[in-house]
């Protein structure tokens, strides 16, 4: 039996590029991308790289709009489960609330920009562990609560959140609170 061929750094870089491309066109969720990127970084042989990229081939990404705008005006806007996020999205909570659960969302690429505007409202963003989160901006008389656990994985997507508004709140965390988890479980069973 022949010895396995060791993987080179260039082959690992190619595999990571393939994973990013698959994430861009929606074939991998953030969690899938993070898991496979870890496998690529730990790969010693070409067989290990092949296992990390199984089922992926380059495909053209679908066209997207410049900025997708969504708002909760005196209401509640919730996105969870498997859903597709645009490369640039603006969510506004005006006397309402917006909850974005990105743990199973299909991200458009390695760099995602979310504008979170809260005017007398709240925006909550739940990110998967292992992604890089960059929060900038601030609201007038507003609050920010950033609770992201773990360390960003190499090759993992970057989620940029720009916060603005007045008398509102932005909460970014890597998991929902116990009450929100119970509500989500009930919604899944209904």
């Amino acid at each position: 039996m022949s010895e396995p061929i060791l993987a080179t750094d260039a082959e690992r870089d190619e595999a990571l590029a393939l994973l990013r491309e698959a994430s861009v066109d929606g074939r991998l969720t953030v969690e899938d991308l993070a898991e496979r990127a870890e496998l690529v970084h730990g790969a010693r042989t070409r067989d290990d790289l092949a296992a990390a990229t199984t089922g992926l081939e380059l495909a053209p990404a679908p066209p997207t709009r410049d900025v997708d705008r969504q708002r909760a005006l005196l209401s509640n806007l919730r996105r969870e489960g498997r859903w597709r996020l645009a490369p640039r999205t603006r969510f506004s909570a005006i006397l309402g609330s917006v909850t974005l659960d990105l743990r199973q969302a299909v991200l458009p690429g390695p760099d995602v920009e979310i504008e979170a505007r809260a005017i007398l409202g709240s925006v909550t963003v739940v990110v998967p562990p292992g992604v890089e989160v960059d929060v900038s901006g601030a609201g007038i008389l507003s609050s920010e609560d950033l609770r992201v656990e773990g360390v960003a994985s190499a090759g993992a997507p970057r989620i940029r959140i720009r916060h603005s508004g007045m008398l509102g709140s932005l909460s970014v965390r890597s998991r929902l609170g116990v009450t929100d988890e119970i509500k989500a479980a009930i919604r899944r069973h209904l």
Side-chain angles (χ1 to χ4, degrees):
M1 188 168 156
S2 64
E3 290 288 318
I5 299 173
L6 296 177
T8 65
D9 287 339
E11 290 169 331
R12 284 186 197 87
D13 290 343
E14 286 177 27
L16 287 171
L18 180 62
L19 293 177
R20 281 191 292 273
E21 191 67 32
S23 173
V24 168
D25 64 16
R27 291 179 287 150
L28 291 178
T29 64
V30 176
E31 290 172 334
D32 293 335
L33 177 62
E35 288 174 14
R36 288 183 184 228
E38 277 187 51
L39 292 174
V40 168
H41 285 292
R44 293 192 28 83
T45 66
R46 286 182 178 171
D47 291 338
D48 295 339
L49 288 177
T53 58
T54 299
L56 303 177
E57 57 190 36
L58 291 178
T64 58
R65 299 187 330 227
D66 286 343
V67 178
D68 183 23
R69 299 178 192 277
Q70 299 186 33
R71 114 177 99 182
L73 175 61
L74 294 168
S75 62
N76 180 20
L77 175 67
R78 183 174 207 79
R79 300 287 183 260
E80 60 186 358
R82 188 160 174 89
W83 61 286
R84 185 175 303 275
L85 184 67
R88 287 190 61 213
T89 308
R90 181 177 193 169
F91 291 94
S92 298
I94 304 166
L95 293 169
S97 67
V98 173
T99 303
L100 307 173
D101 189 343
L102 303 179
R103 294 176 296 176
Q104 295 178 24
V106 177
L107 298 183
D111 202 13
V112 176
E113 185 177 326
I114 297 173
E115 294 178 47
R117 187 172 70 153
I119 300 174
L120 294 169
S122 65
V123 177
T124 301
V125 182
V126 183
V127 298
V131 299
E132 184 177 343
V133 177
D134 180 18
V135 177
S136 63
I140 300 168
L141 297 173
S142 296
S143 67
E144 286 184 12
D145 182 20
L146 180 64
R147 296 183 199 179
V148 179
E149 299 173 4
V151 179
S153 304
R158 174 184 291 182
I159 299 173
R160 299 174 193 263
I161 301 171
R162 226 168 24 152
H163 178 215
S164 65
M166 182 169 51
L167 297 169
S169 67
L170 171 68
S171 175
V172 182
R173 55 188 59 158
S174 53
R175 63 179 180 206
L176 288 172
V178 175
T179 305
D180 291 327
E181 288 287 352
I182 292 170
K183 288 177 184 177
I186 291 170
R187 277 193 299 275
R188 282 191 300 268
H189 294 301
L190 292 179

